[in-house]
């Protein structure tokens, strides 16, 4: 009785062990293939490829950009209401200035009279700005072959070094944002080219401006709000003017979702 | 089976919820492009100035002259690029009838547009007046940035032009203007029949208009300075053979001596409230110059410095609490700051070379000076804390800097190696060096405050 129990236990164990070690080999052929997944690193689908569960330290700027994004987005949702007010006060300030400035006649200029005047008569507006400027450069979004080959080279390196840090670095560097960066940079250059800022203005070092822009698909502006004013109407205006002058904004094809809200800021 | 369902339902709902929320937040996470502006276009800002229009040819004529003056003012700042009238697409007539057609102004690349009208009231009367209305537009936003109407006697058309220039400048740069101001200087010429160079006290508008000389040139005059209300000029003259300070009342032309103090009386400067004058006197100090102030109402003299070497060239801070001056107490001439009662003297400059003629900016943030270094002369600026010094010019002999009323431009005397002496202006940024149009040679300029 006892021996039978022992025997059956032994038999069971061997059976279990056999299955545990041998069957997977038979069912899943060549498991090594799985690690080749890493080659997807530089394709746009990288985000979907399996990742190690280790927390991936964000090192490069490119990877930081998309991750930080949600915060300002939230702020922005509340902000516009306040912003429109900022714009309004700046307008009324302008009026106040005009009114405040009273003639202080000296002996010579006693007869000079100065008065503020209101809005101009209705003028015919010509809102058709769309076709004024030529279309800007178009984007290229397909992953290139070289990228893939480069990724393979990297994999070899990684295998040599066995450094987990570098693996995760590579994996959090999707090409999509590399390309967006180039487009953002060219948009920045365009706006800066149209921006005339008085050099040497007192207090330029302390000025901070944040402007939120909502863009239509055709690159025109659907709304523009000052989230943070520099406190100087002339300076705020100069930035708004530069953006308007850059219309139609060069929105890369197929990336409207990314470019529909743009935050423009200045701070020294 | 029932058990399983019970277990699965909350798990499923939870996971679905989680997945959904991830999807929802992931979408807008990418939809924000951030641009941080760093460099602006360094070129001057393109602006379009159209002639102020009237109903008669006389009015149109005056409107054209006034916009010419405004255009010259703005161009001279170096900050604006006035688009040539020949490039304009919208005609004056169309502008008058329809108002600005902004599309046409965008096409010629204008950022802002000036439009105005002028009307002469009572041209047949002995005291004709004019009414000037201007509007400044943002061409891209299609909105009015500024608008004002001025009514004044016809003879003040230049002053009105300067006022409009100041309005435009302030609207676009955010800084106070400086066009409605005058400059007093020493005009030097040698008219026929006179062997020696004649030096006269002269004044002009800051753009060189309305030239006028106030003294006859019989006596040597130096270092004129405006009072804060622009009605009085204080200057040094050898009228009675001795170097004394005089006050000249501009409306009446009346000259009075400040005081007959022993020795050299020099480098006068009004306090910002106009109630006292800082100056340099040698008194009985064996020719040793010291800084004094004098209360103009009480006629009371106060000595601020006591040092055996040279203490000279006092200049008030715009808040009237401090005085910057020049002293060689540490060996070579350097700049020092003290309270207006003479206490708490602090050295401001430690750089190489010799420092002279400090002038505190009306904006308060900088002090201009003359620096002699390696045989060259420079006009420079330094902040009142003495942390950063910048040299703006270099010349054979650059001296006597004076600030525009908004603290943006410095006018100074430049003498060439040939002896040729003129008054020049330079922007605070070190750009836009220009010679001011004076009919004769000129030196010792001093800028008036803004004239209202």
């Amino acid at each position: 009785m006892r021996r039978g129990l022992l025997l059956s236990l032994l038999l069971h164990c061997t059976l279990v062990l056999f299955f545990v070690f041998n069957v997977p080999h038979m069912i899943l052929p060549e498991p090594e293939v799985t690690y080749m997944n890493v080659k997807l690193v530089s394709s746009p689908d990288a985000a979907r490829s399996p990742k190690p569960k280790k927390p991936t330290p964000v090192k490069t700027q490119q990877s930081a950009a998309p991750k930080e994004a949600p915060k300002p987005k939230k702020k922005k949702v509340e902000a516009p209401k306040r912003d429109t007010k900022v714009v309004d006060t700046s307008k009324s300030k302008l009026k106040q200035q005009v009114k405040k400035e009273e003639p202080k006649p000296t002996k010579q200029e006693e007869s000079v009279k100065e008065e503020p005047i209101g809005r101009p008569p209705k003028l015919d507006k010509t809102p058709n700005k769309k076709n004024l400027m030529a279309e800007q450069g178009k984007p290229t979004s397909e992953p290139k072959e070289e990228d893939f080959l480069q990724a393979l080279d990297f994999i070899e390196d990684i295998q040599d070094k066995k450094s987990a840090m570098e693996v995760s670095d590579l994996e959090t560097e999707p090409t999509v944002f590399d390309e967006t960066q180039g487009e953002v940079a060219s948009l920045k250059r365009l706006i800066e080219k149209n921006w005339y800022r008085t050099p040497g203005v007192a207090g330029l070092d302390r000025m901070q401006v944040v402007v939120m822009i909502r863009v239509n698909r055709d690159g025109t502006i659907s709304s523009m709000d000052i989230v943070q004013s520099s406190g100087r109407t002339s300076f705020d205006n100069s930035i708004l003017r530069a953006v308007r002058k850059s219309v139609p904004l060069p929105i890369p094809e197929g990336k409207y979702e990314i470019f529909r809200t743009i935050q423009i800021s200045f701070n020294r | 089976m029932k058990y399983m369902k019970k277990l699965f339902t909350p798990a499923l709902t939870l996971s679905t919820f989680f997945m959904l929320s991830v999807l929802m937040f992931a979408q807008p996470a990418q939809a924000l492009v951030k641009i941080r502006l760093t460099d602006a276009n360094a070129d001057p800002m393109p602006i379009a100035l159209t002639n102020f229009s009237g109903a008669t040819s006389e009015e149109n004529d005056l409107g054209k002259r006034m916009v010419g003056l405004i255009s010259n003012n703005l161009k001279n700042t170096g900050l604006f690029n006035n688009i040539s009238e020949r490039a304009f697409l919208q005609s004056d007539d169309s502008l008058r009838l329809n108002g600005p057609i902004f599309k046409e102004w965008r096409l010629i690349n204008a950022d802002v547009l000036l439009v105005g009208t002028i009307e002469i009231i009572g041209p047949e009367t002995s005291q004709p007046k004019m009414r000037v209305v201007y509007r400044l537009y943002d061409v891209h936003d299609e909105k009015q940035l500024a608008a004002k109407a001025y009514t004044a006697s016809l003879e003040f058309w230049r002053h009105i032009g300067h006022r409009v220039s100041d309005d435009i400048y302030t609207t676009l740069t955010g800084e106070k203007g400086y066009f409605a101001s005058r400059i007093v200087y020493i005009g030097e010429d040698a008219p026929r029949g006179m062997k020696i160079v004649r030096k006269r006290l002269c004044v002009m508008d800051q753009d060189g208009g309305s030239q006028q000389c106030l003294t006859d040139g019989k006596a040597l005059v130096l270092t004129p300075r405006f009072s804060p209300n622009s009605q009085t000029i204080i200057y040094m003259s050898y009228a009675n053979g001795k170097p004394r300070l005089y006050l000249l009342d501009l409306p009446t032309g009346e000259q009075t001596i400040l005081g007959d103090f022993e020795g050299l009386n020099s480098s006068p400067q009004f306090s910002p409230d106009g109630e006292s004058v800082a100056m340099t006197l040698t008194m009985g100090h064996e020719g040793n110059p010291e800084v004094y102030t004098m209360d103009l109402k009480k006629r009371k003299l106060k000595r601020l410095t006591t040092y055996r070497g040279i203490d000279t060239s006092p200049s008030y801070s715009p808040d009237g609490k401090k005085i910057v001056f020049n002293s060689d107490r540490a060996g070579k001439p350097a700049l020092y700051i003290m309270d207006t009662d003479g206490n708490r003297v602090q050295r401001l400059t430690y750089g190489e070379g010799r420092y002279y003629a400090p002038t505190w900016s009306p904006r308060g943030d900088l002090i201009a000076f003359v620096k002699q270094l390696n045989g060259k002369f420079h006009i420079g600026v330094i902040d009142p804390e003495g942390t950063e010094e910048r040299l703006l010019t270099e010349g054979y002999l650059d001296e006597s800097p004076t600030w525009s009323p908004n603290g943006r431009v410095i006018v100074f005397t430049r003498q060439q190696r040939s002896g040729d002496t003129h008054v020049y202006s330079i922007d605070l940024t070190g750009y836009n060096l220009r010679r001011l149009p004076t009919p004769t040679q000129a030196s010792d300029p001093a800028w008036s405050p803004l004239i209202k």
Side-chain angles (χ1 to χ4, degrees):
Chain A
M1 183 70 184
R2 253 193 172 184
R3 202 189 296 167
L5 200 83
L6 255 168
L7 239 163
S8 117
L9 209 87
L10 247 166
L11 250 164
H12 271 91
C13 278
T14 25
L15 213 83
V16 166
L17 278 171
F18 174 82
F19 274 103
V20 164
F21 285 106
N22 290 339
V23 175
H25 272 286
M26 287 147 72
I27 299 170
L28 309 165
E30 295 179 28
E32 289 94 65
V33 175
T34 41
Y35 90 83
M36 281 301 286
N37 278 342
V38 187
K39 80 190 170 189
L40 291 174
V41 150
S42 73
S43 93
D45 288 346
R48 263 186 264 149
S49 71
K51 278 183 199 176
K53 285 211 168 175
K54 253 179 214 173
T56 53
V58 178
K59 245 188 159 185
T60 55
Q61 283 183 337
Q62 288 98 319
S63 55
K67 290 205 171 169
E68 277 176 13
K71 264 193 210 164
K73 178 72 187 174
K74 269 189 191 170
K75 264 187 221 161
K76 194 216 65 198
V77 174
E78 320 156 2
K81 272 175 202 161
R82 201 170 53 96
D83 313 332
T84 38
K85 266 180 209 159
V86 175
V87 177
D88 280 352
T89 47
S90 68
K91 253 187 211 165
S92 62
K93 249 184 220 165
L94 197 81
K95 273 187 195 164
Q96 277 172 13
Q97 273 178 2
V98 173
K99 274 175 199 162
K100 252 192 274 169
E101 209 178 307
E102 275 167 27
K104 288 173 198 160
T106 58
K107 282 173 197 172
Q108 198 184 20
E109 258 77 46
E110 252 164 4
S111 49
V112 178
K113 208 182 101 201
E114 181 188 319
E115 52 188 288
I117 52 175
R119 297 263 107 200
K122 275 265 174 183
L123 303 162
D124 62 327
K125 294 228 170 184
T126 48
N128 185 20
K129 311 172 200 176
K130 287 176 197 172
N131 302 322
L132 277 178
M133 260 180 241
E135 267 212 19
Q136 302 290 321
K138 280 181 186 171
T140 53
S141 55
E142 293 86 26
K144 291 170 206 153
E145 206 172 16
E146 300 97 88
D147 294 344
F148 176 74
L149 292 172
Q150 265 184 349
L152 280 180
D153 288 348
F154 272 119
I155 288 162
E156 275 174 28
D157 281 350
I158 293 154
Q159 281 176 334
D160 289 346
K161 288 175 190 165
K162 302 272 178 201
S163 158
M165 272 295 277
E166 276 165 309
V167 174
S168 55
D169 260 8
L170 272 170
E171 283 184 350
T172 50
E173 206 178 84
T175 327
V176 178
F177 294 104
D178 276 346
E179 283 169 16
T180 313
Q181 278 220 328
E183 285 146 358
V184 169
S186 72
L187 182 60
K188 173 178 183 274
R189 276 195 302 274
L190 176 66
I191 295 171
E192 285 180 343
K193 198 192 104 211
N194 288 327
W195 185 30
Y196 295 94
R197 177 185 75 198
T198 317
V201 175
L204 187 68
D205 292 353
R206 279 167 274 127
M207 281 194 199
Q208 294 195 340
V209 181
V210 180
V211 176
M212 275 292 182
I213 311 166
R214 282 167 185 278
V215 185
N216 297 322
R217 278 187 189 276
D218 60 0
T220 54
I221 293 161
S222 85
S223 74
M224 179 147 66
D225 300 300
I226 300 167
V227 180
Q228 190 185 345
S229 166
S230 67
R232 272 202 188 193
T233 317
S234 58
F235 192 79
D236 294 353
N237 276 345
S238 74
I239 293 180
L240 302 184
R241 197 179 300 130
V243 175
R244 285 207 182 85
K245 201 174 179 180
S246 309
V247 166
L249 301 173
I251 305 302
E253 218 161 274
K255 291 186 189 165
Y256 174 64
E257 288 307 321
I258 300 172
F259 280 81
R260 69 189 303 166
T261 351
I262 300 173
Q263 185 202 66
I264 309 261
S265 62
F266 174 80
N267 60 305
R268 265 289 156 94
Chain B
M1 204 52 197
K2 263 188 180 175
Y3 234 72
M4 296 271 272
K5 249 189 186 170
K6 261 190 185 172
L7 246 169
F8 261 96
T9 330
L12 222 116
T13 350
L14 255 172
S15 67
T16 329
F17 206 79
F18 181 75
M19 294 267 280
L20 265 173
S21 60
V22 162
L23 269 172
M24 277 169 72
F25 282 103
Q27 196 58 19
Q30 299 185 338
L32 178 72
V33 169
K34 283 185 178 181
I35 292 175
R36 189 168 159 266
L37 299 178
T38 45
D39 309 310
N41 193 326
D43 293 335
M45 177 186 193
I47 56 174
L49 309 172
T50 64
N51 287 328
F52 291 174
S53 59
T56 66
S57 65
E58 201 191 348
E59 288 170 344
N60 279 322
D61 224 49
L62 183 60
K64 201 169 179 174
R65 263 188 294 157
M66 189 176 284
V67 174
L69 176 139
I70 295 167
S71 172
N72 184 52
N73 276 339
L74 295 175
K75 190 193 79 203
N76 283 343
T77 63
L79 303 174
F80 303 101
N81 165 25
N82 304 345
I83 296 168
S84 163
E85 208 179 320
R86 277 168 295 169
F88 293 175
L89 296 175
Q90 190 178 11
S91 66
D92 286 355
D93 288 341
S94 159
L95 204 56
R96 196 169 30 229
L97 286 171
N98 310 319
I101 299 170
F102 292 109
K103 192 174 72 182
E104 301 196 348
W105 296 101
R106 279 198 293 272
L107 276 174
I108 63 164
N109 205 29
D111 268 20
V112 292
L113 169 69
L114 176 72
V115 176
T117 57
I118 194 159
E119 184 193 347
I120 297 174
I121 305 161
E124 66 287 336
T125 61
S126 61
Q127 273 280 315
K129 286 187 162 190
M130 64 179 169
R131 181 178 158 85
V132 177
V133 180
Y134 79 86
R135 295 177 194 278
L136 189 70
Y137 294 101
D138 184 319
V139 170
H140 297 280
D141 195 17
E142 308 195 349
K143 76 173 180 195
Q144 183 178 295
L145 292 171
K148 215 182 270 184
Y150 288 97
T151 311
S153 182
L154 206 53
E155 57 186 309
F156 296 140
W157 73 271
R158 296 193 100 259
H159 180 70
I160 299 305
H162 289 313
R163 294 284 291 275
V164 175
S165 309
D166 279 330
D167 291 348
I168 296 169
Y169 181 88
T170 303
T171 307
L172 297 180
T173 67
E175 296 198 82
K176 284 182 194 158
Y178 62 86
F179 302 116
S181 60
R182 310 203 81 197
I183 291 172
V184 58
Y185 64 96
I186 306 298
E188 302 172 22
D189 59 352
R192 272 189 201 173
M194 274 182 86
K195 288 279 166 64
I196 51 151
V197 172
R198 177 173 69 165
K199 289 197 173 195
R200 292 187 295 171
L201 204 61
C202 304
V203 288
M204 61 178 182
D205 289 357
Q206 53 73 35
D207 62 348
S210 312
Q211 293 277 352
Q212 191 189 353
C213 285
L214 306 169
T215 57
D216 54 16
K218 282 182 187 144
L220 176 68
V221 286
L222 287 165
T223 63
R225 299 283 182 267
F226 272 104
S227 69
N229 66 3
S230 308
Q231 298 299 301
T232 311
I233 291 171
I234 190 166
Y235 64 101
M236 178 189 173
S237 170
Y238 285 81
N240 295 317
K242 287 184 278 184
R244 295 290 178 264
L245 300 179
Y246 293 83
L247 294 163
L248 171 64
D249 186 53
L250 282 174
T252 61
E254 203 178 293
Q255 293 181 47
T256 49
I257 190 164
L258 182 72
D260 189 10
F261 309 117
E262 190 189 332
L264 183 74
N265 302 186
S266 64
S267 61
Q269 184 107 40
F270 278 98
S271 66
D273 61 11
E275 286 179 4
S276 42
V277 169
M279 63 200 141
T280 308
L281 303 175
T282 55
M283 298 291 276
H285 318 307
E286 299 165 340
N288 169 28
E290 300 287 357
V291 174
Y292 283 77
T293 53
M294 182 175 169
D295 188 310
L296 288 175
K297 274 190 195 139
K298 296 177 191 156
R299 296 263 150 190
K300 220 174 119 189
L301 209 57
K302 188 176 181 200
R303 182 175 173 180
L304 300 188
T305 59
T306 45
Y307 174 69
R308 277 184 296 118
I310 295 165
D311 292 317
T312 185
S313 306
S315 171
Y316 281 94
S317 64
D319 62 8
K321 288 180 180 158
K322 297 205 155 132
I323 288 176
V324 60
F325 66 102
N326 175 10
S327 173
D328 66 352
R329 57 185 66 190
K332 57 185 182 179
L335 306 185
Y336 295 80
I337 292 177
M338 63 182 166
D339 289 355
T340 23
D341 57 6
N343 293 327
R344 290 183 27 204
V345 179
Q346 280 185 316
R347 186 168 173 180
L348 177 66
T349 59
Y350 290 91
E352 273 182 77
R354 296 156 172 269
Y355 295 81
Y356 302 100
T359 314
W360 214 309
S361 151
R363 209 159 83 172
D365 58 342
L366 291 169
I367 291 162
F369 55 82
V370 174
K371 183 168 179 167
Q372 189 187 5
L373 180 66
N374 302 330
K376 295 263 187 192
F377 278 83
H378 306 270
I379 303 295
V381 289
I382 189 167
D383 60 297
E385 286 74 42
T387 46
E388 198 197 349
E389 177 185 316
R390 281 190 296 133
L391 299 182
L392 306 179
T393 73
E394 180 184 305
Y396 173 72
L397 181 54
D398 288 355
E399 56 182 359
S400 55
T402 177
W403 288 95
S404 64
N406 67 348
R408 172 80 209 199
V409 181
I410 296 171
V411 160
F412 62 98
T413 310
R414 168 164 283 187
Q415 188 185 329
Q416 314 284 1
R417 195 177 288 270
S418 62
D420 197 53
T421 308
H422 279 98
V423 172
Y424 284 74
S425 80
I426 187 140
D427 192 80
L428 185 54
T429 53
Y431 291 102
N432 200 28
L433 180 74
R434 280 193 316 118
R435 197 180 111 179
L436 298 196
T438 50
T440 63
Q441 299 217 350
S443 62
D444 257 351
W447 215 315
S448 82
L450 215 53
I451 296 163
K452 287 286 177 182

